[in-house]
Amino acid sequence: MKAPEMIIADRPPDVKEIHIVWMTTGLGCDGDSVSITAASLPSIEDVVLGAIPGLPKVHVHNPVLAYEVGDDFMKHWFDAAAGKLEPFVLVLEGSVPNEKIKKEGYWAAMGTDPATGQPITTNEWIDRLAPKATAVIAAGTCATYGGIHAMEGNPTGAMGLCDYLGWDWKSKAGLPVVNVPGCPVQPDNMMETLLYLLYQVAGLAPIIPLDDQLRPTWLFGKTVHEGCDRAGYYEQADFAKEYGSPKCLVKIGCWGPVVNCNVTKRGWMDGVGGCPNVGGICIGCTMPGFPDKFMPFMDAPPGSALSTVVVGVWGGVLRGLRAITNRAVNKEPKWRHPRGELTTGYEPKFYGQNRN
Ligand code: SF4
Ligand code: SF4
Ligand code: SF4
């Protein structure tokens, strides 16, 4: 797929308030909503309490985080669908089931349609809200690519938001869906992207840079391996044979060398954590092919057998040579002693004089 073209959205007139309508009504576990409560760059509290310079007042309508219930909470959704909540950013969490293949009942819904007395399905909410939203974010791998619920053999026909709306879909402001994958999303990745779009909706930021999978380029441009604390072990062909080892985990199931994710650089909370850094194999949870293409999780990735043999040849030699050098630089120079003689090699110079 081609990367989205650069689009400059018109600066909206004097935006004083922005709403975030966060749907958790996809097939999901609410893990992405829980995840953002751990964010600090920025925190959700900073965003809603007005601590971010230049940002208009922000209102978040998320069923997991809201204290309003029932009609009081649903009012914002109906207002958004009626065009009375302007402007708003729509966030979808969870994958989109295919209601067209359900003969009776429904797969997922939220609220009741006053006109029919029937539940309003997730599909219908997307149909109502997406055309009214200024920007749309798919949060988590379920919403971006389908994730766990879209595994082979699933009965719901689950898919990601772009599969449902179309990969070329654009919001009324001309913005494509922004995908922030992860199972769950890394907290700061999600809040940073949300903040970028809030600034953009307020007319204070240029178009968000996205890759061909509609991910923010600065967050998903590198692999897990490129930022991993254990990459030095990989380079020297020093591979863990069991969990609990501090060495490279590639032989016990780590997919880091081919997975786009920044948690080894960014950590998970406040810079701490990030799967392989703290002993967990990378299972590719940010990727479009997750989970099917990465299973069974504990097996060595198919390409790793060859790559570790190649790395092993020169990595072993390198490790041996470095061990020799390491022993040498771990010794103090021989001229540091308390004896009554100077052995540093110092020679006084008497410029302009014949020393002999
Ligand atoms: Fe839960 Fe993961 Fe799906 Fe998010 S992406 S809803 S954390 S299963
Ligand atoms: Fe790469 Fe995984 Fe090894 Fe880290 S643990 S160096 S990501 S293969
Ligand atoms: Fe997911 Fe791998 Fe990133 Fe961990 S390192 S969050 S498993 S993609």
Side-chain angles (χ1 to χ4, degrees):
M1 200 194 142
K2 262 182 69 197
E5 288 168 12
M6 294 291 283
I7 315 148
I8 305 297
D10 288 339
R11 188 190 167 101
D14 199 18
V15 176
K16 296 242 172 358
E17 293 187 320
I18 304 179
H19 296 262
I20 299 169
V21 179
W22 188 307
M23 299 175 61
T24 58
T25 49
L27 304 176
C29 70
D30 295 346
D32 306 294
S33 293
V34 173
S35 181
I36 61 159
T37 62
S40 57
L41 294 169
S43 70
I44 183 81
E45 293 90 338
D46 284 348
V47 171
V48 297
L49 294 176
I52 310 289
L55 207 61
K57 176 73 187 153
V58 176
H59 304 274
V60 179
H61 310 291
N62 173 317
V64 178
L65 306 176
Y67 55 84
E68 298 157 303
V69 293
D71 290 343
D72 290 340
F73 176 74
M74 290 310 301
K75 175 181 184 306
H76 306 298
W77 290 41
F78 287 111
D79 281 353
K84 297 182 196 164
L85 210 67
E86 278 287 324
F88 75 91
V89 176
L90 177 65
V91 180
L92 176 71
E93 174 175 349
S95 52
V96 186
N98 186 352
E99 296 293 350
K100 289 185 191 153
I101 60 168
K102 189 85 174 78
K103 297 273 187 298
E104 294 175 345
Y106 55 89
W107 296 118
M110 181 159 167
T112 306
D113 192 332
T116 63
Q118 294 300 309
I120 304 174
T121 65
T122 296
N123 291 28
E124 198 173 336
W125 275 121
I126 296 170
D127 296 344
R128 291 185 187 192
L129 295 175
K132 300 282 172 37
T134 302
V136 176
I137 307 181
T141 301
C142 290
T144 51
Y145 310 122
I148 290 171
H149 309 93
M151 283 178 74
E152 187 177 12
N154 83 80
T156 64
M159 66 196 101
L161 185 58
C162 287
D163 297 323
Y164 181 78
L165 289 174
W167 281 83
D168 294 328
W169 184 91
K170 298 275 190 323
S171 76
K172 65 180 185 183
L175 296 169
V177 171
V178 176
N179 283 332
V180 188
C183 188
V185 281
Q186 197 277 354
D188 291 322
N189 281 354
M190 183 61 207
M191 286 306 298
E192 196 173 287
T193 306
L194 194 51
L195 180 61
Y196 193 115
L197 284 173
L198 290 170
Y199 271 128
Q200 200 177 318
V201 169
L204 299 171
I207 194 82
I208 187 166
L210 303 175
D211 66 15
D212 62 355
Q213 292 295 323
L214 302 182
R215 300 171 287 206
T217 49
W218 77 95
L219 298 176
F220 293 93
K222 298 276 190 275
T223 64
V224 174
H225 187 70
E226 285 166 331
C228 182
D229 285 355
R230 297 174 187 238
Y233 286 104
Y234 183 96
E235 189 214 15
Q236 295 181 172
D238 213 353
F239 303 118
K241 296 186 178 60
E242 57 188 9
Y243 294 100
S245 162
K247 299 177 180 178
C248 169
L249 306 169
V250 71
K251 287 202 167 186
I252 52 175
C254 184
W255 281 80
V258 292
V259 166
N260 296 83
C261 172
N262 65 350
V263 306
T264 40
K265 275 280 188 201
R266 177 159 232 177
W268 199 263
M269 286 174 64
D270 265 341
V272 178
C275 310
N277 287 351
V278 286
I281 56 171
C282 171
I283 57 172
C285 80
T286 57
M287 301 299 276
F290 177 80
D292 303 64
K293 289 187 180 173
F294 301 91
M295 294 171 70
F297 289 141
M298 308 302 230
D299 285 3
S304 69
L306 178 62
S307 63
T308 52
V309 167
V310 174
V311 170
V313 174
W314 59 267
V317 175
L318 209 60
R319 190 153 30 110
L321 292 173
R322 282 178 182 165
I324 295 168
T325 311
N326 177 250
R327 277 196 295 276
V329 293
N330 258 310
K331 289 197 178 96
E332 279 204 285
K334 60 184 181 214
W335 58 81
R336 295 178 192 168
H337 57 73
R339 298 196 300 272
E341 54 181 337
L342 184 66
T343 58
T344 61
Y346 171 73
E347 287 185 47
K349 291 196 170 92
F350 301 97
Y351 296 105
Q353 294 178 27
N354 184 348
R355 292 173 60 199
N356 297 320

